[in-house]
Amino acid sequence: MKSSELYEDWGLPYIIIGSGVLIAREQALRVIELLYEKGFYFLGYDAFTVFPDGTRQPHMEFNASFSRERQITSMEAIETINEDPSEITHYEFYFRPQA
């Protein structure tokens, strides 16, 4: 299932810019909660600033990557997002079903 389809099933708004399916920062913590609750491997995220004209600027220094074998807890993931600077407005999350 594509991330956009999953977000629709969960009732979460998203935007598509290029090939990226982005979630607003205000929804990011809910995405993390649902990924853990629904049994997904949380593999990481890319951080962006999305501008009013629809362009995006990546913030590679705030991206995160995790492996299936070394999953962080949902609280650690939430803390990581909460520590990001306010200039980050959107995230692209990477995850896979555990089953």
Side-chain angles (χ1 to χ4, degrees):
M1 177 179 277
K2 293 181 179 182
S3 59
S4 58
E5 293 170 351
L6 193 60
Y7 296 148
E8 285 179 22
D9 286 349
W10 291 345
L12 295 171
Y14 62 90
I15 60 173
I16 296 175
I17 300 178
S19 63
V21 179
L22 306 181
I23 292 288
R25 185 180 190 136
E26 295 80 24
Q27 299 295 323
L29 301 183
R30 184 67 182 137
V31 170
I32 291 170
E33 290 170 353
L34 285 166
L35 290 175
Y36 282 87
E37 180 182 307
K38 305 286 185 184
F40 285 83
Y41 288 111
F42 182 39
L43 302 176
Y45 61 83
D46 292 339
F48 298 91
T49 298
V50 176
F51 298 102
D53 67 359
T55 60
R56 65 182 171 174
Q57 174 187 344
H59 295 282
M60 295 174 64
E61 64 274 20
F62 297 106
N63 293 349
S65 179
F66 316 110
S67 70
R68 289 182 183 189
E69 296 78 24
R70 297 190 61 190
Q71 287 285 285
I72 63 172
T73 67
S74 62
M75 288 307 298
E76 290 170 324
I78 289 170
E79 287 173 16
T80 301
I81 295 284
N82 283 336
E83 292 174 359
D84 285 345
S86 60
E87 66 196 43
I88 295 172
T89 62
H90 289 76
Y91 294 92
E92 182 173 11
F93 290 103
Y94 302 101
F95 49 88
R96 295 284 179 262
Q98 288 186 18

